[in-house]
Amino acid sequence: MSTRSRALERSGPRRGSLPGCWPALALIVASVGCSSAPAEHARLRERVIAFEAGALERFLAVARTLEDTPLANHARALAAETRDCTELFAHLPDDGRPARPLLHCVDGSADVAAADPVAQPGDDAAADFARDRRSDALAAFARERRGDADGLILWPIGDDGRLELRLRVDAEGGLHAEGSLRPPGDPGGLGLILPDAEPPAPSVISPVASLAHLRARPAGGLRLSALIPTGGQADRLFALKGRLITSALLSGSWELAFMPAAEAGRLPLAVAALHHRAEEPVRLALGEALDQLETTWPIRRSPRRFGSQAFDGGCFLDLPLLPEFAPCWAITPKAVLVGYRAEAIEGALATPAVSSPPDLAAPLETQTATNGTSLEVRLDGFAGVDRSRRAGGPDPHVGEIFSRLSLRLEPTDDERVRVRASLRSDS
């Protein structure tokens, strides 16, 4: 057996030893570092997708009904290529390019060993065989890890984080995922949605009209200033490192939503809410930021009141940087709202109608979600926006077969994040 083969056979998890530790004290000294936790298997950081073929076909059958779309075309091609499969597998190396077609058939009954053959220098055939044997070993590992789920996704995140999801396809072809995320040491922008142990504040954005709504309270606080490079254009021109976004003024919760297009408009309108600790200091800090904007750019704010409670705010109506762009803001006792246009803020502050569904009819201050980050996307609503702005014949939209996308990120006791997601039709 080659040195490389023996090394691969020994690649499983290892437990740390206890040199110098008395057995009677093992449980105590382990907590202070005299023993080490089992190392995770290196294969858990591979880019792997595995699926039971019958379950995937239920999803593809629904996708194929969306005629003349890339989704339907890909679904049809994949179904044709894997018609006689029992199991599908994909492995993407670090460069993101799969060594085989993205999803290919594997023998679901095989118990593949972990050893690779030795590839001699310049022996392309041996190298290809070694690569295929490694892929087969990964497929066997993924099959064991998948268990009785329909599918599995393993994906590295950053330098030391990883995502593991088990997938299920329901009878109607809806896709559901549950698993865990080990956050990387340097999460970057991902840190904005990694959930804190404390739940986010109740929403200030109404769910009545929103096409998509994200609500989060990031672990460690909302550190917006850390995302703005010092000396960059945003820092220089917009005073974004001013007092408005310091942790002293913001409470940590934030929201992002998309509202339907304005009348005669074509774009869904974004609106964000930053929850604050005290209204008056935030009002002063926002005034400072707006003063600097007007000093830097030849623009002037137009005061305006928003919502049924006439919250103070304003708009920049002469800022033609993007299509339909006329940014506005409003200050409520709980948050600062910033929107793409005035209609975005008006929609965000809309009062739920008595006839709204029970989960939408309650006052905003009583509408709370489960602990953690939540995202709801009304795909059927986006389909309606697309239909209303198309001049030609109706084009298919994914919202016509899947009405809703949901995502939940919840903190756990072991510093991981529980992940739950679903793509489904509510009809």
Side-chain angles (χ1 to χ4, degrees):
M1 181 180 292
S2 69
T3 301
R4 183 182 179 191
S5 298
R6 288 193 296 269
L8 284 168
E9 287 182 345
R10 295 194 303 267
S11 62
R14 296 180 178 177
R15 294 185 178 272
S17 60
L18 297 173
C21 295
W22 293 0
L25 299 178
L27 293 178
I28 300 175
V29 297
S31 65
V32 294
C34 191
S35 67
S36 59
E40 285 196 327
H41 201 297
R43 288 184 182 138
L44 291 173
R45 283 188 50 81
E46 298 281 0
R47 294 173 171 86
V48 167
I49 303 172
F51 239 113
E52 193 274 322
L56 182 59
E57 171 56 25
R58 292 199 299 274
F59 175 80
L60 296 178
V62 176
R64 289 196 297 269
T65 64
L66 207 60
E67 294 291 342
D68 300 324
T69 65
L71 176 61
N73 294 336
H74 288 308
R76 189 175 296 107
L78 181 58
E81 293 173 2
T82 59
R83 183 174 291 110
D84 298 325
C85 290
T86 60
E87 184 179 356
L88 300 168
F89 174 76
H91 172 226
L92 280 74
D94 292 342
D95 60 8
R97 294 178 296 179
R100 291 173 167 178
L102 180 58
L103 278 170
H104 58 272
C105 295
V106 294
D107 183 357
S109 64
D111 183 13
V112 183
D116 285 338
V118 178
Q120 299 299 326
D123 188 346
D124 292 339
D128 289 343
F129 183 61
R131 180 195 62 204
D132 290 346
R133 287 286 289 170
R134 181 170 181 266
S135 181
D136 289 341
L138 279 172
F141 177 81
R143 184 183 312 120
E144 180 181 357
R145 198 79 182 179
R146 173 166 65 89
D148 60 359
D150 292 330
L152 175 76
I153 294 178
L154 301 176
W155 209 263
I157 305 292
D159 292 333
D160 52 356
R162 68 176 186 87
L163 176 69
E164 180 173 3
L165 293 178
R166 287 168 180 80
L167 310 174
R168 178 176 61 83
V169 181
D170 61 34
E172 290 74 35
L175 187 62
H176 308 268
E178 185 164 351
S180 66
L181 167 67
R182 181 188 292 277
D186 180 11
L190 181 64
L192 289 174
I193 61 172
L194 293 176
D196 192 66
E198 183 177 347
S203 176
V204 298
I205 294 181
S206 172
V208 174
S210 61
L211 303 175
H213 185 196
L214 170 70
R215 188 172 66 133
R217 182 185 183 91
L222 184 60
R223 298 185 293 269
L224 288 178
S225 58
L227 301 177
I228 308 298
T230 300
Q233 185 179 37
D235 188 23
R236 293 194 307 269
L237 297 183
F238 296 100
L240 288 178
K241 285 209 171 180
R243 293 193 298 125
L244 179 61
I245 63 169
T246 62
S247 58
L249 295 182
L250 300 181
S251 66
S253 296
W254 71 285
E255 302 174 60
L256 175 66
F258 284 88
M259 299 294 164
E263 187 175 355
R266 296 174 59 86
L267 301 173
L269 304 176
V271 58
L274 302 176
H275 290 245
H276 59 65
R277 301 179 186 277
E279 183 175 356
E280 191 55 33
V282 164
R283 191 182 300 276
L284 294 174
L286 178 59
E288 292 176 3
L290 295 174
D291 288 343
Q292 179 157 342
L293 271 173
E294 293 182 346
T295 299
T296 306
W297 289 32
I299 55 176
R300 291 294 178 268
R301 73 197 86 168
S302 299
R304 175 170 175 154
R305 292 183 179 272
F306 293 91
S308 60
Q309 300 185 54
F311 295 120
D312 286 340
C315 299
F316 285 118
L317 303 176
D318 51 354
L319 198 62
L321 297 178
L322 299 168
E324 306 177 32
F325 188 49
C328 297
W329 61 91
I331 303 175
T332 80
K334 302 289 181 63
V336 178
L337 281 78
V338 180
Y340 196 85
R341 293 180 59 87
E343 293 89 341
I345 295 181
E346 292 290 0
L349 297 175
T351 302
V354 176
S355 59
S356 298
D359 59 333
L360 301 184
L364 285 181
E365 60 269 18
T366 67
Q367 292 176 7
T368 59
T370 56
N371 189 14
T373 298
S374 62
L375 170 66
E376 291 288 338
V377 181
R378 286 178 44 209
L379 297 172
D380 52 355
F382 279 102
V385 171
D386 283 353
R387 283 193 298 268
S388 67
R389 67 185 178 87
R390 285 195 294 259
D395 293 328
H397 189 282
V398 68
E400 297 171 11
I401 56 174
F402 297 113
S403 59
R404 189 174 297 271
L405 172 66
S406 301
L407 173 67
R408 298 286 185 274
L409 303 178
E410 301 168 358
T412 65
D413 294 336
D414 62 356
E415 298 184 353
R416 300 192 188 194
V417 175
R418 183 188 181 194
V419 181
R420 292 182 295 154
S422 64
L423 177 66
R424 65 190 189 278
S425 175
D426 290 336
S427 58

